[in-house]
Amino acid sequence: MKKSSTGKYTIEFFKFTFKLYPKYYVILFLNSLFYAILAIYNSYILSIILYSIETYSFQKTIIVSLFISIISFVLIVISHFFKKSVRIEQCKIREKIDHIIVDQLTKIPYEYLEDEYYLDMIKKAKYSINDDNCINNLFTSSTEILQCICTLISLFLIIASFSLLLVLVL
């Protein structure tokens, strides 16, 4: 069975883009951490509301609910900011990659540009990058994977604060 080298090329792509534009990965990491915090906040908020209903008077429950609503609104605004920042940085890194591709194409000797084989290779490369949306899909998938990993780690840390045995069972 022949081994696929897709993983190797993906890792090489991430190394290359990290050297090319490290700011994107910093924003991506901060975005993922924020979404992990947001997931924990959303799961914890319900217990706070139920506790306030059971324990406090109606007025205090309303105040707690308003406070939670304000915090939720701020978190939604921050999440939109992070989404927009990630999209902007993805566009910037994609532009840099496009510039590198154009730079490489200008270095090709003229006689190759008339050869059918090389024209077909260039056409396939441009299709996979632009029309097939490979780079955007790769960035989107990596963002989602990093968000899931950060969320899982933070949830395991919270569960570990209750019981290490529970973490091992999970």
Side-chain angles (χ1 to χ4, degrees):
M1 186 173 175
K2 188 177 177 183
K3 256 189 177 179
S4 173
S5 58
T6 305
K8 180 180 110 176
Y9 290 127
T10 303
I11 291 170
E12 288 299 317
F13 176 78
F14 283 125
K15 285 180 185 177
F16 174 74
T17 55
F18 184 77
K19 288 178 186 174
L20 182 68
Y21 200 66
K23 181 181 175 184
Y24 168 73
Y25 290 97
V26 171
I27 290 175
L28 181 65
F29 181 72
L30 291 174
N31 178 43
S32 300
L33 280 178
F34 176 76
Y35 274 95
I37 291 168
L38 192 61
I40 293 168
Y41 171 79
N42 286 334
S43 63
Y44 187 64
I45 231 33
L46 185 60
S47 66
I48 291 174
I49 292 172
L50 291 175
Y51 178 78
S52 70
I53 290 172
E54 291 175 352
T55 312
Y56 301 135
S57 66
F58 181 72
Q59 287 94 5
K60 285 187 178 181
T61 302
I62 296 293
I63 292 171
V64 168
S65 298
L66 285 173
F67 184 70
I68 289 171
S69 298
I70 292 169
I71 292 174
S72 297
F73 176 75
V74 169
L75 291 175
I76 287 170
V77 169
I78 292 171
S79 74
H80 285 293
F81 168 76
F82 272 121
K83 281 181 185 177
K84 186 176 180 181
S85 297
V86 167
R87 274 187 260 135
I88 289 170
E89 296 306 319
Q90 282 177 350
C91 289
K92 287 179 182 178
I93 198 167
R94 185 176 168 124
E95 268 185 34
K96 287 188 176 213
I97 291 170
D98 286 342
H99 286 297
I100 290 172
I101 290 170
V102 167
D103 186 46
Q104 292 298 317
L105 286 174
T106 59
K107 293 177 182 176
I108 296 175
Y110 184 72
E111 62 265 10
Y112 291 135
L113 292 176
E114 292 182 351
D115 188 352
E116 194 67 35
Y117 173 75
Y118 289 103
L119 286 173
D120 189 47
M121 283 180 53
I122 291 169
K123 182 180 172 185
K124 286 179 182 177
K126 284 183 179 179
Y127 175 77
S128 65
I129 290 171
N130 296 325
D131 296 338
D132 209 19
N133 225 4
C134 291
I135 292 176
N136 285 341
N137 291 340
L138 188 62
F139 284 140
T140 303
S141 299
S142 64
T143 303
E144 291 170 359
I145 289 170
L146 192 57
Q147 287 174 357
C148 290
I149 289 171
C150 288
T151 302
L152 282 173
I153 289 171
S154 58
L155 288 174
F156 271 115
L157 290 174
I158 290 172
I159 293 170
S161 70
F162 294 117
S163 169
L164 287 175
L165 181 63
L166 187 59
V167 171
L168 293 175
V169 169
L170 288 176

